[in-house]
Amino acid sequence: MVLVYINSTTGLSKAALETVTYGKKLSGDVTVITNGSASNEQLAQLGEYGASKVLVDRSVDGEDPQQLARLVAAVADQVSASTVIFSHDIYGKAVAPRLSVRMKAGLVAGAIAVPEADGSVKVNVFSGKAVGYVKVASSKQIISLLPNSIQPEKTGSVCSVEETNGLAGASAINVLETKKPEGNIPLPEAELVVSAGRGLKGPENWGMIEELATALGAATACSRPVADIGWRPHHEHVGQTGVAIRPNLYIAVGISGAIQHLAGVNGSKVIVVVNTDTEAPFFKAADYGVVGDAFDVIPKLTEAVKRFKATQH
Amino acid sequence: MNILVCISKAPDTTSKIAFTNNSTQFDENGVQFIVNPYDEWYALVRALELKETIGGNVTIVTVGTATDEAIIRKALAIGADEAVRIDADPKDAYFVAMQVASYAKAKGFDLVMTGKETINYNGSQVGGMIAEAMDLPFVSLATKLDANGTKLTLEREIVGGVQVVEVQTPAVISCAKGMAEQRIPNMRGIMAARTKPLTVIPAEAVEDLTSYVTYSMPNAKSSVKMIDPSNMDELVALLHNEAKVI
Ligand SMILES: Cc1cc2nc3c(=O)[nH]c(=O)nc-3n(C[C@H](O)[C@H](O)[C@H](O)COP(=O)(O)OP(=O)(O)OC[C@H]3O[C@@H](n4cnc5c(N)ncnc54)[C@H](O)[C@@H]3O)c2cc1C
């Protein structure tokens, strides 16, 4: 029996559908536990991705990982789950370790594939420079799945949704304010990312990067020095000491491709590099390369994307 | 405020990553070890800033072997008051967390700080595990931290934004970029570090819950396809038809 925790406070994210799909690949019997305000109709759709049943605690806001760990542990007990699955997002990173101690269940953090025949699970190590296979020694296990590692798959039909409460205890975290810039695509979940580096010369030149991102429906990212000097916000910094991402498409503009930068992005399925310097190390990690001046190439690329999008409708 | 900062060693970011012993072990040959950047730049430096403004004491703890004393001295040189090494060669986050939790419980710290993850195993596990083992609140991926008496005010990363939250001490915090700026130790700090107390305590018996059975290197990219900068329609067509990503 597999238990999947998803956060549905802002509806059903792609990461949520991925974790339910993952659960289905491990077991025919998948219970989902969630909190928050998604409607019963929405939650019932998780059945299409493999859930047999959804339990929802609407009294829990999901802001305190301690509360969530109590809730998930109690439900895991009720349904005799031997495996609990999270997304390796902010919730998985906060709750799964707590649950590991609570259930004394080994945690595989950041799985990138379904378990191998010997039960071990593939994860990225050394910030994506290598992969490792983790084996859990305890009888129960917890797996947190790195977003964008598998695709959601519809295999079934809507399932039942039941309310639960009284399992989570009180919250110790008092939320004073939530700041969410409108229209932002969260970087770790983004399928397409346009990223730029010091080659852009100054923050005033990011307009063309944002236009390309908008044309593609992509999120924006940057190299570390760009965030350090304040040209871009910190949460856009990708790399070994920033956010690690693995989108389907990563377009790197004016970024040299230093080893610490590559470490955070080399899990991307396809990499496009735009750089004036033919010798830029990033070309060695790229699938497609354009040697050229970003100020010339990017507006042209944006126009080409717009032309392409126009033919798609 | 009495603060415990957990530090881990990590290979220098430019290290060549290779494996030995039939691909079951990281090859430490020629590898330079550093203090894990998240632990050093964010957790440790913010702890020192808090101490400088409101007073208190900063202890660093690492679960490691005698060879890790170099990185301990580095953290002391940056400004920590004292250090504890729990003597073991850890293989598993659960093992590390249980050792730290048991030490921290006995000492009664107001605040336990970790980096958001290590750059070698990237698990983001130890902070949450310590919090659960100590039955304390946990704020993860914090980018700002202020203390006022027993009340902590923090900013943390959430999906698509940030959130301001409040929590009472004692608590466990994992620290991400934004918390503080890297400090380079000066000569005085380095000299002082030599004589600061470093206590070695034995590890407790804790079983590992996980292990790495093998490692491998990701497949190298086949060679890059160059596109003429004046032909962006071709690039878009390739991304659609060949790469199938748009
Ligand atoms: C411990 C440590 C951790 C680090 N962690 C990270 C990390 O997480 N993420 C990260 O990104 N870096 C990290 N770094 C820094 C990293 O080593 C590099 O310094 C950094 O990635 C370089 O950023 P950049 O490519 O934007 O700038 P540069 O290296 O200055 O490269 C700029 C590039 O732009 C090109 N260019 C210039 N003009 C144009 C133009 N008009 N059109 C197109 N191209 C142009 C240049 O040819 C050059 O290749 C870390 C470093 C250390 C020591």
Side-chain angles (χ1 to χ4, degrees):
Chain A
M1 160 66 94
V2 165
L3 179 65
V4 177
Y5 168 78
I6 65 163
N7 184 288
S8 58
T9 38
T10 51
L12 299 181
S13 64
K14 177 158 175 278
L17 304 182
E18 289 167 4
T19 44
V20 176
T21 301
Y22 190 89
K24 178 69 183 174
K25 289 179 186 290
L26 263 57
S27 162
D29 196 354
V30 178
T31 301
V32 173
I33 173 72
T34 184
N35 61 285
S37 50
S39 69
N40 280 8
E41 288 71 34
Q42 263 183 318
L43 294 175
Q45 286 169 17
L46 292 170
E48 297 173 2
Y49 297 89
S52 337
K53 181 171 80 180
V54 177
L55 294 169
V56 54
D57 187 335
R58 300 201 184 279
S59 68
V60 173
D61 63 7
E63 307 295 2
D64 182 357
Q66 193 169 16
Q67 241 193 336
L68 289 175
R70 286 190 212 109
L71 172 65
V72 178
V75 174
D77 215 34
Q78 278 178 2
V79 302
S80 307
S82 52
T83 301
V84 182
I85 296 168
F86 290 85
S87 174
H88 194 57
D89 57 10
I90 57 160
Y91 298 100
K93 287 178 187 175
V95 184
R98 293 202 77 118
L99 192 68
S100 169
V101 171
R102 206 171 179 90
M103 293 177 60
K104 216 172 175 198
L107 167 59
V108 181
I112 55 175
V114 291
E116 307 289 313
D118 70 352
S120 68
V121 183
K122 190 172 172 181
V123 298
N124 283 330
V125 290
F126 297 95
S127 303
K129 291 174 193 167
V131 295
Y133 293 83
V134 181
K135 208 160 191 177
V136 171
S138 48
S139 60
K140 292 175 184 163
Q141 63 173 351
I142 303 171
I143 301 175
S144 65
L145 177 67
L146 202 65
N148 267 337
S149 296
I150 66 163
Q151 286 303 313
E153 281 169 30
K154 285 196 182 184
T155 48
S157 52
V158 290
C159 67
S160 66
V161 179
E162 287 168 30
E163 307 254 344
T164 177
N165 54 55
L167 300 173
S171 169
I173 294 182
N174 185 12
V175 177
L176 302 180
E177 194 188 349
T178 298
K179 306 179 212 172
K180 273 194 193 183
E182 278 304 314
N184 252 9
I185 301 173
L187 199 46
E189 283 187 22
E191 294 192 353
L192 309 174
V193 175
V194 181
S195 186
R198 213 145 50 176
L200 253 68
K201 317 271 191 282
E204 66 281 6
N205 297 325
W206 248 264
M208 63 180 184
I209 297 299
E210 278 163 0
E211 276 167 35
L212 174 58
T214 307
L216 283 165
T220 50
C222 68
S223 67
R224 178 173 154 216
V226 162
D228 280 353
I229 40 186
W231 292 359
R232 298 298 291 175
H234 284 316
H235 66 254
E236 283 197 0
H237 158 195
V238 293
Q240 187 156 15
T241 51
V243 189
I245 55 173
R246 46 191 354 253
N248 292 338
L249 174 62
Y250 184 73
I251 303 182
V253 185
I255 301 176
S256 56
I259 187 164
Q260 299 94 351
H261 185 86
L262 294 179
V265 302
N266 60 9
S268 308
K269 289 186 188 79
V270 173
I271 295 180
V272 175
V273 169
V274 179
N275 201 303
T276 40
D277 177 7
T278 27
E279 299 296 315
F282 220 145
F283 284 118
K284 291 202 176 67
D287 299 278
Y288 302 100
V290 181
V291 176
D293 185 341
F295 294 88
D296 167 50
V297 172
I298 297 307
K300 282 189 188 147
L301 177 55
T302 307
E303 287 313 310
V305 168
K306 285 183 181 160
R307 276 194 292 277
F308 164 75
K309 292 276 177 183
T311 66
Q312 294 295 297
H313 297 297
Chain B
M1 180 151 310
N2 212 352
I3 307 176
L4 181 68
V5 178
C6 306
I7 64 169
S8 169
K9 72 168 178 186
D12 179 81
T13 54
T14 55
S15 304
K16 188 176 169 305
I17 305 301
F19 300 96
T20 163
N21 230 337
N22 214 359
S23 293
T24 58
Q25 238 182 329
F26 175 56
D27 187 356
E28 299 194 354
N29 227 323
V31 170
Q32 177 87 28
F33 282 95
I34 58 172
V35 183
N36 181 48
Y38 293 107
D39 308 348
E40 178 192 320
W41 303 351
Y42 308 136
L44 176 58
V45 176
R46 188 62 197 145
L48 295 172
E49 289 171 355
L50 285 176
K51 177 195 141 173
E52 285 155 12
T53 49
I54 59 177
N57 188 75
V58 176
T59 305
I60 51 170
V61 62
T62 192
V63 180
T65 61
T67 55
D68 298 343
E69 293 194 0
I71 66 136
I72 296 176
R73 292 288 172 206
K74 165 97 191 280
L76 289 171
I78 294 170
D81 298 297
E82 54 188 292
V84 172
R85 179 170 69 80
I86 301 175
D87 190 25
D89 186 9
K91 304 271 184 278
D92 167 47
Y94 177 81
F95 177 91
V96 171
M98 297 318 264
Q99 303 299 335
V100 173
S102 133
Y103 166 75
K105 246 189 243 172
K107 291 283 176 177
F109 291 95
D110 302 304
L111 188 56
V112 179
M113 296 169 78
T114 70
K116 77 160 185 180
E117 64 186 42
T118 56
I119 60 168
N120 41 0
Y121 294 104
N122 311 98
S124 217
Q125 301 185 36
V126 171
M129 287 178 171
I130 293 172
E132 186 67 26
M134 297 180 73
D135 198 22
L136 293 181
F138 175 47
V139 178
S140 59
L141 309 184
T143 52
K144 266 189 192 155
L145 163 64
D146 282 298
N148 188 349
T150 60
K151 194 173 75 190
L152 303 175
T153 309
L154 300 110
E155 239 177 69
R156 68 174 173 191
E157 294 172 12
I158 56 167
V159 178
V162 294
Q163 201 173 48
V164 185
V165 301
E166 241 174 36
V167 63
Q168 293 291 321
T169 59
V172 181
I173 312 292
S174 86
C175 304
K177 183 166 183 169
M179 263 285 170
E181 299 287 336
Q182 182 180 11
R183 277 190 191 180
I184 311 292
N186 57 23
M187 212 31 172
R188 227 179 70 218
I190 295 168
M191 297 303 288
R194 292 190 186 155
T195 53
K196 285 181 179 172
L198 193 174
T199 315
V200 180
I201 60 176
E204 294 184 356
V206 171
E207 72 274 45
D208 289 346
L209 297 185
T210 59
S211 61
Y212 282 88
V213 285
T214 173
Y215 296 93
S216 63
M217 301 306 286
N219 299 336
K221 289 260 179 197
S222 52
S223 68
V224 49
K225 201 177 252 183
M226 299 309 285
I227 318 287
D228 189 303
S230 60
N231 197 354
M232 287 301 102
D233 287 312
E234 184 194 347
L235 175 58
V236 171
L238 286 168
L239 291 176
H240 179 63
N241 298 322
E242 186 179 80
K244 299 192 186 345
V245 288
I246 62 172

